[in-house]
Amino acid sequence: MTRAGRAVRALPAGRARRRGALLLVAALVLGGATGVSGCGSGTAPAPGGPASGVGTPTTAAGTVAPPEGPQEPQGQEVLVEVVVNGGLAGVRNQLVVHYDGTWTSRSGTKPPRTGRMTPAEAAELRAALEDPSYARVPGRPTGGPIPDGFRYFVTYRHRLVVADDGERPPALQRVFDALPEGGPPTGP
C-alpha cells in the first residue's frame, strides 16, 4: 500500500480499528479541551439570546454551563400533584396544580375540569407546601389501612407523601385546605 508516494505497511483489521478509534477520541478530546471547534458551535443561538458565545458561561468541554443558583419554576411546571384512590367504587382521581395557578382535575372517565387559582390562592398553596412542618410530614401512613377508605398521594418537588383517610397531620391538612376544590374528587 502506498500513501503520498511512500510505501506503508497495512495494519491488521483489529489494530486499524483501534488506532482509528484512538485518533477519533484524541481529536474530540483535544478539540473540546482547547475550544477549537471551527468557525462556530454549529448551532444557532436561542431566540432572544446572544448572537455568539460571548458572555455565555461554558465548561471546559465547550458546552454551555447551567446557570448558577436555584431555578425559578416556569408557569406550566407542575407545583403539586394529588392522586386519590380507593373507596367502595375503587376510584383513581387526580388533581394537578401548576406554578401559575392553573389546575386540571381528572375523575374517572369524565372529561377533565380545569381552572385557575387567584394569585393569593396560589401563594397560599405554595406557602403551605414550603412550610418546614410539611417537610416533616411522614412519607407513609402510620396507622393501619382503613377498609374501603381513600388513600391520597401528594407529590411536591419529587417528594411523595401518602396519607389515608383520617390521617392528615395539620401541615398536610393545610395543603389540602389550599388546594382547588379541596383536592381531587373522591367520587367516581
Side-chain angles (χ1 to χ4, degrees):
M1 174 188 290
T2 61
R3 182 182 296 160
R6 294 183 297 165
V8 178
R9 169 175 66 112
L11 293 174
R15 281 185 62 195
R17 268 190 237 115
R18 283 192 302 267
R19 181 175 280 174
L22 181 61
L23 288 173
L24 177 62
V25 169
L28 291 173
V29 168
L30 290 175
T34 61
V36 177
S37 61
C39 295
S41 65
T43 59
S52 70
V54 176
T56 304
T58 58
T59 65
T63 59
V64 175
E68 294 183 25
Q71 297 290 331
E72 285 296 317
Q74 299 300 313
Q76 282 299 303
E77 286 185 51
V78 173
L79 171 64
V80 65
E81 176 187 33
V82 182
V83 174
V84 59
N85 65 23
L88 290 172
V91 301
R92 186 190 185 284
N93 299 331
Q94 175 190 45
L95 172 68
V96 176
V97 181
H98 300 271
Y99 276 90
D100 65 0
T102 58
W103 56 268
T104 303
S105 179
R106 290 180 172 81
S107 178
T109 59
K110 297 177 186 172
R113 290 189 335 272
T114 60
R116 179 180 289 274
M117 301 172 76
T118 67
E121 291 169 335
E124 183 180 337
L125 177 57
R126 280 192 302 276
L129 291 164
E130 293 168 0
D131 186 333
S133 60
Y134 177 72
R136 292 188 296 273
V137 171
R140 298 283 179 252
T142 55
I146 299 173
D148 297 323
F150 291 105
R151 181 162 272 186
Y152 300 88
F153 301 84
V154 181
T155 305
Y156 169 67
R157 289 192 177 167
H158 306 289
R159 178 175 182 249
L160 175 66
V161 172
V162 181
D164 287 331
D165 271 340
E167 271 197 36
R168 289 193 195 162
L172 183 58
Q173 185 59 49
R174 181 178 172 209
V175 169
F176 272 84
D177 291 344
L179 288 171
E181 301 182 346
T186 55

